[in-house]
Amino acid sequence: MTIAHIAETAGVSVPTVSKVLNGRSGVSDQTRARIEELIEQYGYRKPPAKGNDILELVFHELAGMRAVDVIRGVEQVARKHRFGVVISESGPGAAAGSAVDELVERRPRAVLAVAQLSEDERSLLKTRGIPFLVLDPATELPDDVPFVGATDWRGGQTATRHLIKLGHRHIAVISDPHHLPCRARLAGFHSAMQAAGLPVEPELIADAPLTREDGHAAALSLLTRADRPTAIFAANDLQALGVYRAARELGLRIPEDLSVVGFDDLPVGAWVEPPLTTVHRPLAEMASAAAELALSLGRGEEPAQIGVEMATTLTVRESTAAPATAS
């Protein structure tokens, strides 16, 4: 079975079939589906390309404090294996479809996506024979997509247990229900509260995006309640910084009047006053593990496990203390 025969059967040109085989754009969905059906029907398999000694690191948007840790972790592994690293973006700054097309042209040995890969993008990479995995997935993935994440559920549980041990009973949470790790952190909070026999008050669960500004707005609504909480667990450190600002505006002292716990352990958490108690996510180590796994996939090896979760730990600093009137 040849490409020419598939093209003739499908009523298209050889270059069109080649585009489908190579995961290129420029083919209508209907034509692509017809060609893929014939490829499957005739069992045609494109001879595998060796690929370049490149590991492609794809961000949704190359911004924020997390990117530095990710790049550092990936480059350490790539250097050890004598691989180059190409960094690209698939988010708002990239033209639709162009990022993956350019990636395919580079023929990396594997792709490590910090961004979410759409179903179409995953299909294109599979068609081209380029293995991929997702680092720190923000949404649910199909069961066959490899990923490296963190024990976010355990982190949420540990943070809440810390506050409960200090004597807090009236604990609020700021979280983002659209973000998979945040949902796990909130579930960990619920588990710790239930284990301690404490009620979870729905009005103390605030939904907010993972930004300082939204954390500030959510904290203002929580802290101006008549029965304001004695502690706030924020789903990330940026939200926690927003809580700091709200507390300052309301004349509340941290930790005397309000304890605050964040998540991620960004460097800024150690610089603020008082230094922030937070859950450490080993992002550089996660990136290194993801790079090792990506390169093993690039060598055609079967992963020992599809998903890897690395342990979170609590970093206790000065933003948490016993409430003024512990119950």
Side-chain angles (χ1 to χ4, degrees):
M1 178 54 55
T2 65
I3 291 180
H5 185 76
I6 291 173
E8 182 180 353
T9 306
V12 299
S13 66
V14 169
T16 299
V17 176
S18 180
K19 282 183 179 181
V20 173
L21 285 169
N22 290 315
R24 300 287 302 280
S25 59
V27 181
S28 70
D29 291 342
Q30 183 178 0
T31 301
R32 185 182 298 277
R34 185 165 72 252
I35 293 170
E36 288 176 344
E37 183 180 348
L38 288 170
I39 290 170
E40 184 66 27
Q41 177 183 336
Y42 290 119
Y44 177 83
R45 293 293 179 267
K46 183 178 181 290
K50 180 177 181 289
N52 295 311
D53 287 342
I54 292 172
L55 176 60
E56 183 99 15
L57 178 58
V58 183
F59 288 89
H60 175 69
E61 192 172 7
L62 192 55
M65 292 174 268
R66 290 162 29 99
V68 175
D69 280 342
V70 171
I71 293 170
R72 183 169 62 243
V74 169
E75 286 195 327
Q76 286 175 352
V77 172
R79 193 180 310 117
K80 180 176 71 174
H81 293 281
R82 299 184 181 278
F83 266 67
V85 177
V86 173
I87 300 172
S88 57
E89 286 183 291
S90 66
S98 66
V100 174
D101 281 347
E102 292 171 4
L103 183 158
V104 167
E105 287 288 340
R106 286 189 286 273
R107 288 177 50 234
R109 192 71 63 85
V111 172
L112 198 170
V114 184
Q116 292 301 117
L117 294 172
S118 68
E119 184 178 349
D120 286 345
E121 288 169 337
R122 294 195 301 266
S123 178
L124 286 173
L125 291 174
K126 286 179 181 178
T127 301
R128 184 63 178 84
I130 300 175
F132 58 88
L133 64 83
V134 178
L135 172 63
D136 202 15
T139 60
E140 296 284 355
L141 294 170
D143 291 340
D144 62 344
V145 175
F147 71 91
V148 173
T151 55
D152 291 287
W153 183 90
R154 173 65 73 181
Q157 184 188 57
T158 302
T160 309
R161 282 178 173 173
H162 170 68
L163 292 171
I164 293 171
K165 186 176 180 180
L166 288 172
H168 293 278
R169 302 293 181 265
H170 203 48
I171 304 170
V173 179
I174 303 175
S175 187
D176 183 349
H178 305 294
H179 192 255
L180 179 63
C182 288
R183 295 202 298 271
R185 295 165 201 174
L186 182 59
F189 163 80
H190 278 273
S191 173
M193 294 290 282
Q194 182 180 19
L198 298 174
V200 173
E201 304 170 62
E203 61 272 18
L204 294 186
I205 309 296
D207 295 339
L210 298 171
T211 68
R212 178 176 178 269
E213 293 72 23
D214 290 293
H216 169 254
L220 282 177
S221 68
L222 291 167
L223 296 174
T224 52
R225 295 174 54 86
D227 57 342
R228 66 174 176 81
T230 61
I232 294 180
F233 169 36
N236 78 345
D237 289 347
L238 295 180
Q239 286 183 340
L241 295 181
V243 176
Y244 271 49
R245 178 184 165 197
R248 185 169 59 251
E249 291 173 355
L250 295 172
L252 298 174
R253 299 165 300 163
I254 297 173
E256 292 86 353
D257 302 315
L258 176 71
S259 285
V260 182
V261 179
F263 212 108
D264 284 337
D265 199 12
L266 298 176
V268 67
W271 306 337
V272 294
E273 186 58 40
L276 176 66
T277 294
T278 184
V279 177
H280 176 71
R281 298 178 93 234
L283 195 55
E285 292 85 352
M286 289 162 60
S288 294
E292 291 281 8
L293 180 54
L295 292 179
S296 72
L297 293 172
R299 293 190 295 268
E301 300 171 5
E302 286 293 326
Q305 57 190 105
I306 291 293
V308 176
E309 289 190 337
M310 303 191 71
T312 54
T313 54
L314 185 66
T315 301
V316 179
R317 297 195 181 103
E318 296 167 32
S319 68
T320 50
T325 53
S327 57

